[in-house]
PDB file of all heavy atoms in Angstrom:
ATOM      1  N   PRO M1386      -6.197  27.144 -43.414  1.00  0.00           N
ATOM      2  CA  PRO M1386      -4.973  27.886 -43.395  1.00  0.00           C
ATOM      3  C   PRO M1386      -4.969  29.236 -42.937  1.00  0.00           C
ATOM      4  O   PRO M1386      -4.328  29.648 -42.200  1.00  0.00           O
ATOM      5  CB  PRO M1386      -4.355  27.724 -44.756  1.00  0.00           C
ATOM      6  CG  PRO M1386      -5.361  27.171 -45.577  1.00  0.00           C
ATOM      7  CD  PRO M1386      -6.267  26.330 -44.860  1.00  0.00           C
ATOM      8  N   ASP M1387      -5.961  29.991 -43.445  1.00  0.00           N
ATOM      9  CA  ASP M1387      -6.089  31.447 -43.042  1.00  0.00           C
ATOM     10  C   ASP M1387      -6.551  31.391 -41.558  1.00  0.00           C
ATOM     11  O   ASP M1387      -6.150  32.366 -40.994  1.00  0.00           O
ATOM     12  CB  ASP M1387      -7.160  32.045 -43.930  1.00  0.00           C
ATOM     13  CG  ASP M1387      -6.799  32.289 -45.324  1.00  0.00           C
ATOM     14  OD1 ASP M1387      -5.619  32.416 -45.724  1.00  0.00           O
ATOM     15  OD2 ASP M1387      -7.767  32.217 -46.322  1.00  0.00           O
ATOM     16  N   LYS M1388      -7.353  30.542 -41.104  1.00  0.00           N
ATOM     17  CA  LYS M1388      -7.859  30.653 -39.706  1.00  0.00           C
ATOM     18  C   LYS M1388      -6.625  30.059 -38.770  1.00  0.00           C
ATOM     19  O   LYS M1388      -6.497  30.593 -37.607  1.00  0.00           O
ATOM     20  CB  LYS M1388      -9.094  29.754 -39.485  1.00  0.00           C
ATOM     21  CG  LYS M1388     -10.269  30.385 -39.934  1.00  0.00           C
ATOM     22  CD  LYS M1388     -10.710  31.655 -38.934  1.00  0.00           C
ATOM     23  CE  LYS M1388     -11.049  32.806 -39.569  1.00  0.00           C
ATOM     24  NZ  LYS M1388     -11.052  33.899 -38.643  1.00  0.00           N
ATOM     25  N   VAL M1389      -5.787  29.260 -39.184  1.00  0.00           N
ATOM     26  CA  VAL M1389      -4.613  28.937 -38.457  1.00  0.00           C
ATOM     27  C   VAL M1389      -3.766  30.110 -38.181  1.00  0.00           C
ATOM     28  O   VAL M1389      -3.184  30.475 -37.158  1.00  0.00           O
ATOM     29  CB  VAL M1389      -3.632  27.830 -39.072  1.00  0.00           C
ATOM     30  CG1 VAL M1389      -2.414  27.608 -38.414  1.00  0.00           C
ATOM     31  CG2 VAL M1389      -4.462  26.503 -39.330  1.00  0.00           C
ATOM     32  N   ALA M1390      -3.603  30.966 -39.274  1.00  0.00           N
ATOM     33  CA  ALA M1390      -2.875  32.271 -39.284  1.00  0.00           C
ATOM     34  C   ALA M1390      -3.525  33.223 -38.260  1.00  0.00           C
ATOM     35  O   ALA M1390      -3.012  33.804 -37.401  1.00  0.00           O
ATOM     36  CB  ALA M1390      -2.671  32.906 -40.581  1.00  0.00           C
ATOM     37  N   ASP M1391      -4.842  33.362 -38.384  1.00  0.00           N
ATOM     38  CA  ASP M1391      -5.638  34.307 -37.502  1.00  0.00           C
ATOM     39  C   ASP M1391      -5.344  33.788 -35.982  1.00  0.00           C
ATOM     40  O   ASP M1391      -5.256  34.726 -35.121  1.00  0.00           O
ATOM     41  CB  ASP M1391      -7.100  34.257 -37.803  1.00  0.00           C
ATOM     42  CG  ASP M1391      -7.391  35.032 -39.042  1.00  0.00           C
ATOM     43  OD1 ASP M1391      -6.580  35.961 -39.482  1.00  0.00           O
ATOM     44  OD2 ASP M1391      -8.518  34.875 -39.528  1.00  0.00           O
ATOM     45  N   GLN M1392      -5.380  32.583 -35.786  1.00  0.00           N
ATOM     46  CA  GLN M1392      -5.370  32.053 -34.335  1.00  0.00           C
ATOM     47  C   GLN M1392      -3.908  32.249 -33.816  1.00  0.00           C
ATOM     48  O   GLN M1392      -3.852  32.588 -32.628  1.00  0.00           O
ATOM     49  CB  GLN M1392      -5.849  30.654 -34.334  1.00  0.00           C
ATOM     50  CG  GLN M1392      -7.331  30.313 -34.370  1.00  0.00           C
ATOM     51  CD  GLN M1392      -7.702  29.018 -34.725  1.00  0.00           C
ATOM     52  OE1 GLN M1392      -7.844  28.188 -33.784  1.00  0.00           O
ATOM     53  NE2 GLN M1392      -7.536  28.505 -35.975  1.00  0.00           N
ATOM     54  N   ILE M1393      -2.966  32.131 -34.601  1.00  0.00           N
ATOM     55  CA  ILE M1393      -1.551  32.333 -34.203  1.00  0.00           C
ATOM     56  C   ILE M1393      -1.413  33.756 -33.666  1.00  0.00           C
ATOM     57  O   ILE M1393      -0.888  34.169 -32.726  1.00  0.00           O
ATOM     58  CB  ILE M1393      -0.495  31.806 -35.182  1.00  0.00           C
ATOM     59  CG1 ILE M1393      -0.593  30.335 -35.290  1.00  0.00           C
ATOM     60  CG2 ILE M1393       0.830  32.326 -34.794  1.00  0.00           C
ATOM     61  CD1 ILE M1393       0.293  29.817 -36.507  1.00  0.00           C
ATOM     62  N   SER M1394      -1.911  34.662 -34.731  1.00  0.00           N
ATOM     63  CA  SER M1394      -1.904  36.134 -34.472  1.00  0.00           C
ATOM     64  C   SER M1394      -2.511  36.442 -33.087  1.00  0.00           C
ATOM     65  O   SER M1394      -1.970  37.300 -32.370  1.00  0.00           O
ATOM     66  CB  SER M1394      -2.459  36.967 -35.551  1.00  0.00           C
ATOM     67  OG  SER M1394      -1.504  36.703 -36.756  1.00  0.00           O
ATOM     68  N   ASP M1395      -3.620  36.055 -32.905  1.00  0.00           N
ATOM     69  CA  ASP M1395      -4.517  36.326 -31.672  1.00  0.00           C
ATOM     70  C   ASP M1395      -3.868  35.730 -30.482  1.00  0.00           C
ATOM     71  O   ASP M1395      -3.944  36.239 -29.366  1.00  0.00           O
ATOM     72  CB  ASP M1395      -5.894  35.963 -31.861  1.00  0.00           C
ATOM     73  CG  ASP M1395      -6.656  37.149 -32.463  1.00  0.00           C
ATOM     74  OD1 ASP M1395      -6.181  38.295 -32.381  1.00  0.00           O
ATOM     75  OD2 ASP M1395      -7.736  36.938 -33.047  1.00  0.00           O
ATOM     76  N   ALA M1396      -3.281  34.538 -30.658  1.00  0.00           N
ATOM     77  CA  ALA M1396      -2.603  33.883 -29.392  1.00  0.00           C
ATOM     78  C   ALA M1396      -1.513  34.702 -29.072  1.00  0.00           C
ATOM     79  O   ALA M1396      -1.189  34.916 -27.836  1.00  0.00           O
ATOM     80  CB  ALA M1396      -2.239  32.457 -29.804  1.00  0.00           C
ATOM     81  N   ILE M1397      -0.756  35.293 -30.015  1.00  0.00           N
ATOM     82  CA  ILE M1397       0.458  36.095 -29.605  1.00  0.00           C
ATOM     83  C   ILE M1397      -0.170  37.362 -28.831  1.00  0.00           C
ATOM     84  O   ILE M1397       0.474  37.813 -27.936  1.00  0.00           O
ATOM     85  CB  ILE M1397       1.214  36.398 -30.801  1.00  0.00           C
ATOM     86  CG1 ILE M1397       2.021  35.247 -31.355  1.00  0.00           C
ATOM     87  CG2 ILE M1397       2.219  37.530 -30.621  1.00  0.00           C
ATOM     88  CD1 ILE M1397       2.594  35.383 -32.710  1.00  0.00           C
ATOM     89  N   LEU M1398      -1.188  37.986 -29.475  1.00  0.00           N
ATOM     90  CA  LEU M1398      -1.671  39.134 -28.770  1.00  0.00           C
ATOM     91  C   LEU M1398      -2.159  38.849 -27.373  1.00  0.00           C
ATOM     92  O   LEU M1398      -1.857  39.543 -26.431  1.00  0.00           O
ATOM     93  CB  LEU M1398      -2.976  39.591 -29.558  1.00  0.00           C
ATOM     94  CG  LEU M1398      -3.896  40.684 -28.961  1.00  0.00           C
ATOM     95  CD1 LEU M1398      -3.153  41.919 -28.620  1.00  0.00           C
ATOM     96  CD2 LEU M1398      -5.137  40.826 -29.775  1.00  0.00           C
TER      97      LEU M1398
END
Side-chain angles (χ1 to χ4, degrees):
D1387 293 330
K1388 280 289 139 198
V1389 174
D1391 283 343
Q1392 289 168 91
I1393 292 172
S1394 294
D1395 270 341
I1397 290 170
L1398 170 62

